Amino acid sequence: MRVAFATCSAMPEGWVDDHAAARLLQAEFEVWDDAAVDWTAYDRVVLRSVWDYSGRSEEFLDWCRAVGAERLRNVPELVAFNSDKRYLADISVPSVPTRFISPGEALPSIQGEVVVKPNVSAGARDTGRFSSATAALALIERIHASGRLALVQPYLSAVDLRGETSVVFIGGEISHFLAKRAVLREEGTAPVADGDLRVAAAMLEDDLVVAGSAGAAQISVAQAAHAELSARFGTPLYARVDLVDDNDGNPVVSELEVIEPCLYLGTARGSSERLAAAVRAG
């Protein structure tokens, strides 16, 4: 089986976390928007560090469809679903309460501390935490000016105390758990490095994400979310379900990550081997 790991032009050799799995598969790293690549030469094309896609989402989704469901993992239909955060309104599992504000729609009233983000983005770009209604509305207007929808969510204070838990699925089974400290630890728009994605990746704190654990309630919600995706799109090659606690202490989904998430394979023994085996299995 000939395998390509799709990456971006800023990281032509891929992200280091994926290297062990690539070696096991003898996979080649290929830049997703390189017109010289013959994707039909590969049996499997695995989306990995395609971290520039959100700025050109329609072009990226067209490329996914061209590669096709027979080759691309995850499949194009699932990628399209996950590329727009409006999926939070389209899943039945408990998720962070979210209001979706379209361009041209009246600006909402802002009460309490909120998180504002666009419906299409990656890496906390154009995302902020605000107790000031003026600042929150300013970010909403900036998001609208770019043609995107704005999401408004309550800031769940449990994130400051317990952070975020991620459940990583590979080949339909739970592979490992991750613990992530709060990214929006202060008010204001999240700092994001513009330009070279290698610089942005290097800005990540070494201990921002570490090996974690999950309780029965968290596992139950994550499994329900994964089952829902699998029922609609087929079992994903990989999926990362990010969870936070709501104000009553119950786990809710904050994000579903099935396009290009870092899986932090290096935090869990055997996870690179599990990913390689899942690719070979289909």
Side-chain angles (χ1 to χ4, degrees), residues 144-219:
H144 283 174
S146 72
R148 294 172 293 176
L149 282 79
L151 281 65
V152 180
Q153 302 171 323
Y155 187 78
L156 300 177
S157 59
V159 175
D160 291 330
L161 299 174
R162 294 185 289 278
E164 190 173 287
T165 297
S166 296
V167 182
V168 178
F169 293 82
I170 295 176
E173 303 293 335
I174 293 176
S175 169
H176 54 286
F177 306 106
L178 302 167
K180 182 179 182 180
R181 293 192 293 114
V183 173
L184 300 174
R185 291 192 288 277
E186 298 179 354
E187 287 199 36
T189 304
V192 176
D194 290 323
D196 195 330
L197 289 174
R198 290 168 295 186
V199 175
M203 287 176 63
L204 294 175
E205 300 153 282
D206 290 340
D207 61 347
L208 180 66
V209 180
V210 297
S213 60
Q218 293 170 313
I219 291 172

Side-chain angles (χ1 to χ4, degrees), residues 194-267:
D194 290 323
D196 195 330
L197 289 174
R198 290 168 295 186
V199 175
M203 287 176 63
L204 294 175
E205 300 153 282
D206 290 340
D207 61 347
L208 180 66
V209 180
V210 297
S213 60
Q218 293 170 313
I219 291 172
S220 179
V221 172
Q223 288 177 322
H226 188 272
E228 189 168 339
L229 291 179
S230 299
R232 292 182 63 172
F233 304 105
T235 302
L237 173 65
Y238 57 77
R240 201 185 79 202
V241 181
D242 296 340
L243 304 162
V244 295
D245 286 349
D246 66 14
N247 292 328
D248 295 320
N250 300 310
V252 295
V253 170
S254 58
E255 297 272 3
L256 298 176
E257 298 278 6
V258 296
I259 301 177
E260 35 59 79
C262 185
L263 300 174
Y264 298 93
L265 300 171
T267 68

Side-chain angles (χ1 to χ4, degrees), residues 93-113:
V93 295
S95 62
V96 177
T98 305
R99 288 182 288 170
F100 301 88
I101 315 300
S102 301
E105 188 176 339
L107 293 178
S109 60
I110 301 294
Q111 297 179 344
E113 195 167 21

Side-chain angles (χ1 to χ4, degrees), residues 41-52:
Y42 294 100
D43 301 292
R44 290 289 179 270
V45 177
V46 181
L47 294 173
R48 294 310 309 128
S49 42
V50 291
W51 292 341
D52 59 353

